[in-house]
Amino acid sequence: MATEFKALLVEQPEKKVFNRSIVTRSLDDLPEGELVVKVYYSSLNFKDALSATGNPGVTRNFPHTPGIDAAGEVVSCADGSFQPGDQVIVTSYDLGMETDGGFGQMIRVPSKWAVKLPDGLTLKESMMLGTAGITAALSVQELIESGVKPEYGPILVTGATGGVGSLAVAMLGKAGYKVTAVTGKMDQEDYLKGLGADTVISRETLMTGGERPMLKTTWAGVVDCVGGDMLAVAIKSTKYGGAVTCCGLVGSPDLNVNVFPFILRGVRLIGIDSAECPMDKRISVWKRMADQLKPAGLEEMVDEVGLDGLEEKIQGMLKAQLKRKVLVNLQD
Ligand SMILES: NC(=O)c1ccc[n+]([C@@H]2O[C@H](COP(=O)([O-])OP(=O)(O)OC[C@H]3O[C@@H](n4cnc5c(N)ncnc54)[C@H](OP(=O)(O)O)[C@@H]3O)[C@@H](O)[C@H]2O)c1
């Protein structure tokens, strides 16, 4: 078995200084775990950009290889729960946070973190979806289970060109909902409509007059990836009995909203967590994506890069400049 592999390594030579480079690492550098996986694909998530730049809320111990998503082939599994050659997906838990992650060609993790690649998805497609796909699918599933039906009105998606947002737009469109996508990149209107958005609006349009305690009811449901004032406006403009999912904080982790939408309109606010999502739910979400929610034009929704293309994408993500989700190809 080859024990050396390439990886993006983040090092901290001094306080608040984080250097990133592509290095050769060894299996001996990886943490304990039953399962060794040769990683073929990963994807870039907002959390990875934070880890790669030393955000202590994600990663405190360096040197470190980020990457909360990985898909590849089992090399060995000490507890026999997988066989060599099995195709598996590993996402979240601690992967890429304090455990060396998918921006390396090998990972070693607890076997209970891995999901067998479901029928209907290739390894590459699984990482075009990745944690962003799980999060979008969990959000869509929560709206459906909350009884929000397509005929009740439009669904608002915030952060629409982002990884979670773009997949939510496409999955909601596929599930028959009319989607209003809100974006900071109005030059991406055609792209978002191509994914399935019925209407595309700017952040400014959404936020105009948003400081009022209650707003005109507009949305049957909301998939929010932004948090902060945008989430508050979304909640205040959700229709009677509607549901709002909350997964992200790119705008702000704070939420300043009064109780009126909840006590006068019965609006429900639903938290989404993909990181510690229980394994049975995780397996069913992957199956649902493979069988029903996988967007038709998945290839066109991603930019594919190798390890050497990651730096530019990490910087672009932190500046909210990326126009496509990033797929990372780790094959030589
Ligand atoms: N809860 C979970 O399990 C879970 C899982 C995955 C991700 N997340 C979180 O979900 C959020 C989105 O993740 P992602 O990977 O999709 O990130 P991403 O690809 O960077 O997308 C975020 C998008 O939000 C918009 N945006 C960025 N900064 C903004 C700001 N200051 N105000 C308003 N909009 C802004 C941009 O889209 P537009 O230009 O189109 O507006 C950007 O493309 C992150 O906070 C991430 O940590 C949570």
Side-chain angles (χ1 to χ4, degrees):
M1 187 206 321
T3 58
E4 294 206 322
F5 60 92
K6 275 194 274 173
L8 178 80
L9 192 68
V10 185
E11 294 174 284
Q12 184 179 18
E14 56 186 279
K15 210 175 171 201
K16 294 192 177 167
V17 176
F18 298 92
N19 296 334
R20 291 169 292 283
S21 57
I22 299 163
V23 301
T24 300
R25 300 196 85 188
S26 151
L27 270 184
D28 295 337
D29 298 328
L30 295 181
E32 294 291 299
E34 303 86 34
L35 184 68
V36 178
V37 178
K38 181 170 165 50
V39 180
Y40 289 177
Y41 292 99
S42 179
S43 72
L44 177 65
N45 295 275
F46 190 69
K47 219 177 196 177
D48 301 321
L50 296 180
S51 171
T53 50
N55 185 305
V58 182
T59 304
R60 286 183 180 275
N61 296 303
F62 296 90
H64 172 66
T65 293
I68 65 169
D69 285 344
E73 239 172 56
V74 171
V75 174
S76 63
C77 182
D79 66 5
S81 51
F82 293 96
Q83 297 305 312
D86 280 354
Q87 296 192 312
V88 292
I89 305 168
V90 184
T91 62
S92 56
Y93 294 109
D94 190 53
L95 188 70
M97 294 180 70
E98 300 295 356
T99 301
D100 289 302
F103 297 165
Q105 291 171 318
M106 292 275 192
I107 54 170
R108 182 157 54 201
V109 294
S111 59
K112 63 181 184 206
W113 289 3
V115 174
K116 212 163 178 235
L117 183 74
D119 289 342
L121 283 184
T122 62
L123 285 175
K124 187 174 184 180
E125 286 174 330
S126 76
M127 287 295 102
M128 291 176 178
L129 295 162
T131 289
I134 300 178
T135 309
L138 284 171
S139 306
V140 173
Q141 197 160 301
E142 288 290 353
L143 293 187
I144 293 170
E145 285 169 6
S146 300
V148 176
K149 297 206 162 68
E151 58 270 28
Y152 292 177
I155 308 295
L156 181 74
V157 177
T158 64
T161 64
V164 180
S166 60
L167 286 163
V169 169
M171 289 179 187
L172 285 162
K174 205 164 179 199
Y177 290 93
K178 278 206 162 160
V179 177
T180 295
V182 56
T183 180
K185 308 180 191 89
M186 282 308 287
D187 63 334
Q188 296 301 299
E189 182 172 1
D190 289 347
Y191 169 62
L192 289 167
K193 285 189 170 166
L195 292 185
D198 184 61
T199 309
V200 179
I201 60 172
S202 68
R203 292 184 200 161
E204 293 72 27
T205 302
L206 181 78
M207 299 307 289
T208 302
E211 60 289 341
R212 294 198 299 274
M214 291 279 265
L215 300 170
K216 180 171 170 267
T217 56
T218 311
W219 321 113
V222 177
V223 173
D224 178 67
C225 308
V226 171
D229 291 344
M230 203 171 272
L231 174 57
V233 163
I235 292 169
K236 289 191 278 185
S237 49
T238 295
K239 290 184 179 186
Y240 192 92
V244 178
T245 65
C246 156
C247 75
L249 43 54
V250 284
S252 166
D254 299 326
L255 179 59
N256 180 13
V257 68
N258 58 49
V259 298
F260 293 135
F262 308 111
I263 65 173
L264 299 180
R265 293 178 179 162
V267 169
R268 285 154 296 165
L269 179 59
I270 302 167
I272 302 292
D273 170 52
S274 61
E276 295 296 328
C277 174
M279 189 43 89
D280 53 345
K281 196 169 182 184
R282 205 175 271 256
I283 291 170
S284 83
V285 169
W286 276 112
K287 187 166 163 32
R288 193 164 192 166
M289 286 197 283
D291 294 347
Q292 299 165 23
L293 293 176
K294 181 175 81 175
L298 203 48
E299 286 274 351
E300 286 76 56
M301 294 181 69
V302 298
D303 272 343
E304 183 171 333
V305 298
L307 282 178
D308 54 358
L310 260 174
E311 179 62 26
E312 187 192 336
K313 298 297 183 189
I314 289 167
Q315 296 304 334
M317 180 166 261
L318 291 172
K319 293 180 194 135
Q321 288 170 346
L322 297 188
K323 295 180 176 173
R324 298 292 179 271
K325 187 172 170 358
V326 177
L327 173 75
V328 189
N329 186 338
L330 289 117
Q331 295 162 95
D332 284 326

